[in-house]
Amino acid sequence: MTPRVLTALPVYNEERHLSDVLAEVKKFSQDILVVDDGSSDRTPDLMKQERSVHLVRHEQNQGYGAAVRTAFEYALSGEYDVLVTIDCDGQHEPRLIPELAAMVYNQPVQPAEIVSGSRYLTRFPGDSQPPADRRRINMVVTELLNERFGLQLTDAFCGFKAYRVDSLARLRITESGYAMPLQLWVQAAALKMKIVEFPVPLIYLDEERSFGGALDQAERRLAYYREVIDREVAALHLADGGSKEMRSCGDGRPLHESCGTATS
């Protein structure tokens, strides 16, 4: 059976890139979803021309994490096997969608739950030089996740990912902003999901992207990321310090649910 793949693009005020990126994505994916996170530019008008693309629109801007959560819900409601998420700012290469999606099931023993793009796993000719504060924060947070949860990540923040759709029901994503991947990693580690990294080129086109208010300041952003990780650990009742004593219900239910007898 050939897995059915949905490619989802979280979009907010991407009038500069939307049409070009979608034109490329269409070459490599049959089913495409755009989650318009309350865009106030010409994005809604441009989407009216995209009749072959599925669209979910948030009436108000909710944040990157909320847009990805909507993509999760859409994939779960359809008969999809794999969900690929790709940014709409031109910094990911749509030609890699088929290979990324195929990696979910092309695994020894068992499929992967998450195949995560990594811009630092392999050096590619022509790779960009990332902004110094973003690279430093990525390194700090990636190392923190690896140490605390026994992961082996090289890039904690790449949005180019493939998910096995049936595993998404086990996640409970509540973080609406750019810290959403941190909540994802804590839950994935706690649930012992199989995670595989996939090398992707390092492309930076928008070095002035805003993270929102005070989070544009690097140290405040890093402090907030640490706070999100600690909050998720507390919410899941994980043992302090890491993965060795993480508990699970053993029946696939999220860790923040009661591990008592399930009732219908």
Side-chain angles (χ1 to χ4, degrees):
M1 181 190 75
T2 301
R4 188 178 177 204
V5 178
L6 173 69
T7 299
L9 297 85
V11 170
Y12 178 63
N13 289 349
E14 291 289 359
E15 62 180 8
R16 287 190 303 162
H17 302 290
L18 180 64
S19 297
D20 289 343
V21 171
L22 280 178
E24 284 300 304
V25 171
K26 288 176 185 177
K27 297 177 184 178
F28 303 100
S29 184
Q30 181 176 353
D31 291 325
I32 303 168
L33 168 70
V34 167
V35 181
D36 180 2
D37 188 34
S39 295
S40 57
D41 63 356
R42 293 181 56 249
T43 295
D45 293 330
L46 293 173
M47 282 306 303
K48 291 177 182 177
Q49 305 170 25
E50 299 291 346
R51 299 182 182 275
S52 64
V53 176
H54 304 287
L55 173 66
V56 176
R57 175 171 166 78
H58 296 167
E59 291 305 316
Q60 295 182 336
N61 178 244
Q62 299 178 32
Y64 172 79
V68 174
R69 183 174 63 236
T70 294
F72 286 2
E73 293 167 353
Y74 192 96
L76 283 165
S77 68
E79 297 181 356
Y80 296 103
D81 302 297
V82 176
L83 170 68
V84 173
T85 57
I86 182 170
D87 292 349
C88 192
D89 54 10
Q91 297 186 165
H92 299 153
E93 296 190 344
R95 65 179 178 83
L96 296 175
I97 291 172
E99 190 175 354
L100 185 72
M103 284 279 288
V104 171
Y105 286 98
N106 291 346
Q107 297 294 324
V109 185
Q110 67 181 57
E113 275 95 0
I114 303 173
V115 178
S116 187
S118 173
R119 299 159 291 183
Y120 305 109
L121 192 60
T122 300
R123 292 287 298 176
F124 291 90
D127 271 359
S128 300
Q129 183 69 26
D133 64 329
R134 294 196 199 178
R135 179 62 180 127
R136 178 176 64 85
I137 289 174
N138 194 322
M139 290 177 65
V140 169
V141 171
T142 299
E143 182 177 354
L144 176 63
L145 291 168
N146 289 341
E147 289 180 352
R148 291 190 68 174
F149 307 111
L151 300 176
Q152 296 180 333
L153 302 173
T154 60
D155 188 351
F157 288 100
C158 184
F160 199 9
K161 287 181 169 62
Y163 301 87
R164 202 179 82 204
V165 170
D166 59 7
S167 69
L168 296 177
R170 304 171 69 194
L171 300 170
R172 295 295 183 270
I173 301 301
T174 59
E175 179 61 35
S176 295
Y178 284 113
M180 169 268 177
L182 309 183
Q183 186 180 47
L184 170 73
W185 291 131
V186 176
Q187 292 187 20
L191 292 166
K192 304 189 186 307
M193 289 187 170
K194 182 173 181 177
I195 301 164
V196 177
E197 284 195 316
F198 177 85
V200 299
L202 174 58
I203 303 170
Y204 268 97
L205 301 177
D206 182 12
E207 297 188 11
E208 302 302 321
R209 183 183 69 184
S210 174
F211 292 87
L215 295 185
D216 285 337
Q217 300 179 28
E219 292 309 314
R220 290 193 180 186
R221 191 161 72 250
L222 179 56
Y224 179 68
Y225 290 160
R226 292 180 184 274
E227 177 186 326
V228 168
I229 293 171
D230 289 340
R231 186 168 63 231
E232 192 63 20
V233 168
L236 298 182
H237 307 294
L238 301 183
D240 183 36
S243 61
K244 291 184 179 180
E245 299 181 44
M246 284 196 219
R247 64 181 183 85
S248 65
C249 293
D251 59 2
R253 281 176 288 152
L255 290 182
H256 66 279
E257 294 184 2
S258 169
C259 289
T261 303
T263 59
S264 58

